[in-house]
Amino acid sequence: MSNPSQVIRERLRFQGYKYTFVSQRMRFPNGKEGEREYLIHPGGAVVVPMTAAGKFVCIRQYRFAVASYIYEFPAGTLEPGEHPDATIRRELEEETGLRAHRWDSLGQFYLCPGYSDEIMYAYLARDLEVLDSPPDKDEDEDITVVEFSPAELTEIARFGIDLDSKSITCFWRAQMFLAAENG
């Protein structure tokens, strides 16, 4: 069993609104040294909303980093001191105008451990209610709510680039959860 890396020196490269970018000189478990950079992230939460008819609710959102619209499940960054449960309830309402009355955990996972320490907390949301007055979306969000059958979402996940990785992971986890629940 190897020992964890030892940080020799750390430098702050950038402090942003949500993320911190650091550079570390490290001694790796094998004894060698090197420089590594990564993002420190407060964590995020993602929800797989499912209608009573068995459809999955996604959003189509513009993502500036890829200069394209993609489909994804509603998600958001944890605010300081905020529990993931509160984050995802807020995000579901803001991004879809829905409130869920049944929540199940789908666990957690690292999003991109090659360059970030971000942990995603995943949930399945059911017993959905349409809000009469949903909260305002963030000022930079351009979102359309869409519903997909399991078969449609499977095809998008299998062959398209327009569904992000956290949504593919959570769709798979939700299907496994539902299969176990249904016996």
Side-chain angles (χ1 to χ4, degrees), residues 29-50:
N30 65 5
K32 298 189 183 217
E33 289 186 15
E35 191 87 11
R36 295 293 182 267
E37 298 85 22
Y38 70 96
L39 292 172
I40 298 172
H41 191 285
V46 57
V47 61
V48 178
M50 193 172 112

Side-chain angles (χ1 to χ4, degrees), residues 1-178:
M1 183 153 153
S2 63
N3 294 326
S5 299
Q6 176 188 6
V7 176
I8 298 168
R9 178 183 69 240
E10 181 173 281
R11 290 186 297 179
L12 175 65
R13 296 291 189 169
F14 176 77
Q15 178 67 56
Y17 170 66
K18 290 186 179 183
Y19 318 110
T20 302
F21 183 58
V22 297
S23 173
Q24 292 182 335
R25 180 78 184 166
M26 306 177 83
R27 182 169 295 112
F28 303 114
N30 65 5
K32 298 189 183 217
E33 289 186 15
E35 191 87 11
R36 295 293 182 267
E37 298 85 22
Y38 70 96
L39 292 172
I40 298 172
H41 191 285
V46 57
V47 61
V48 178
M50 193 172 112
T51 69
K55 290 199 169 192
F56 292 95
V57 179
C58 290
I59 59 173
R60 182 178 180 267
Q61 181 169 213
Y62 184 79
R63 291 299 193 173
F64 70 91
V66 295
S68 184
Y69 285 90
I70 62 170
Y71 295 109
E72 55 189 280
F73 287 121
T77 302
L78 277 63
E79 298 294 336
E82 185 177 49
H83 192 276
D85 291 359
T87 301
I88 203 53
R89 290 172 195 273
R90 171 176 44 82
E91 292 294 334
L92 178 64
E93 291 183 11
E94 286 177 7
E95 293 183 352
T96 67
L98 299 170
R99 177 175 291 143
H101 295 284
R102 181 173 178 189
W103 291 88
D104 295 291
S105 173
L106 297 175
Q108 56 198 34
F109 56 93
Y110 290 108
L111 190 59
C112 298
Y115 63 82
S116 174
D117 68 350
E118 181 177 7
I119 294 178
M120 293 296 297
Y121 300 88
Y123 299 86
L124 175 63
R126 292 179 279 180
D127 296 336
L128 303 176
E129 164 193 2
V130 177
L131 297 174
D132 291 331
S133 299
D136 292 334
K137 292 177 177 41
D138 293 340
E139 64 183 31
D140 64 338
E141 291 179 327
D142 183 6
I143 293 174
T144 304
V145 178
V146 292
E147 293 182 7
F148 293 111
S149 70
E152 291 169 326
L153 203 49
T154 296
E155 288 302 301
I156 293 170
R158 285 180 56 202
F159 298 112
I161 191 170
D162 50 355
L163 183 67
D164 74 332
S165 63
K166 75 179 180 313
S167 298
I168 294 169
T169 299
C170 291
F171 178 54
W172 177 81
R173 285 188 175 193
Q175 289 183 317
M176 298 302 104
F177 180 90
L178 293 166

